[in-house]
Amino acid sequence: MDEKVLYMDRVATPLGDMIMTSYGEALYGLWFQGERYEPGEQELDGARREPDLPVFQETRHWLDLYFQGKDPGFTPPLELSGSDFRQQVGRIMLTIPYGKTLTYGAIARQMAGKMGKKQMSAQAVGGAVGHNPISLIIPCHRVVGSSGSLTGYGGGMPRKVWLLEHEGIDLEASGFTIPKKGTAL
C-alpha cells in the first residue's frame, strides 16, 4: 500500500505568510501562519516542500487575484477533510459569494434541511466553521453572527475585518459590530 506524501509550501500575502498543504492533486490546507488551528511542526514533519506542485501554483494564482481586489471566479481543486458534518458546512461556505456574508444560523438551517432535522445548533456550525482548514478559499471569514456581530475568526479579528472590507463590505453601514470579548479576537 502506498503511503500518502504530504506536500507543503508557503506563500506571502498582504496579511502574512500562509502555509499550503496537499497530498498531490488537491489543496488540503491553507492557513495564515500563526492562525489558531495552523498545523504544528509535528503535523508538517516530513512534509516535502514542493513549490511547483500544480495545485500550489493554482492556489497562488487564486490568492494573487483575490488580493488584487478581484473575485478569482474559480476554485482550485480542494480535498475537504474532517467529519462529514464539517465537510458539508465547508461546501455551504463555498457557496457564499465574494463580498457577501451568511450567518451561522442560516448555515444551521441549511444543515438541518440536509440532515432531515427540524433545527440545528448554530454553535455546532460555529465549531465546524472555526475548524475550517482551507482559509480564504473556503470563506469562513464571510460567516457572521445573526445579531450582526462579526464573531470569531481563527486568523484573528483584524484579518476578518480587513478581508470583509477588502471585498467591499461596508461594516458600519451593514450594521456589523466587532465583539469586545471572545476566543478569536
Side-chain angles (χ1 to χ4, degrees), residues 7-173:
Y7 299 97
M8 63 88 58
D9 200 23
R10 296 183 192 280
V11 59
T13 78
L15 295 178
D17 286 353
M18 296 188 85
I19 299 166
M20 302 180 284
T21 61
S22 173
Y23 285 101
E25 300 294 321
L27 190 65
Y28 186 73
L30 181 66
W31 300 269
F32 284 107
Q33 200 162 347
E35 188 171 319
R36 184 185 319 157
Y37 296 111
E38 167 195 3
E41 293 295 320
Q42 282 186 319
E43 294 168 284
L44 294 177
D45 188 39
R48 288 192 203 162
R49 190 113 189 217
E50 189 59 59
D52 295 329
L53 198 66
V55 71
F56 290 166
Q57 291 177 347
E58 203 169 336
T59 299
R60 273 190 202 84
H61 180 60
W62 190 100
L63 291 168
D64 286 345
L65 292 170
Y66 180 84
F67 283 113
Q68 288 172 24
K70 300 173 184 170
D71 178 350
F74 71 96
T75 303
L78 305 177
E79 182 177 340
L80 299 179
S81 63
S83 67
D84 182 57
F85 181 81
R86 285 186 180 173
Q87 290 181 40
Q88 286 186 50
V89 169
R91 285 185 197 94
I92 291 171
M93 285 190 288
L94 280 166
T95 69
I96 306 170
Y98 180 95
K100 303 290 182 192
T101 60
L102 193 63
T103 66
Y104 291 93
I107 294 173
R109 286 188 292 281
Q110 287 186 45
M111 286 298 296
K114 288 178 180 286
M115 299 172 78
K117 296 183 173 188
K118 284 187 177 186
Q119 60 185 29
M120 168 70 53
S121 160
Q123 287 82 6
V125 167
V129 171
H131 284 84
N132 173 26
I134 304 177
S135 293
L136 295 182
I137 295 173
I138 298 178
C140 54
H141 63 280
R142 296 180 190 149
V143 182
V144 299
S146 59
S147 67
S149 173
L150 293 184
T151 67
Y153 177 62
M157 191 55 61
R159 280 190 184 122
K160 183 169 185 159
V161 168
W162 190 96
L163 293 167
L164 293 173
E165 289 176 339
H166 178 72
E167 292 183 18
I169 297 173
D170 182 333
L171 300 180
E172 191 174 326

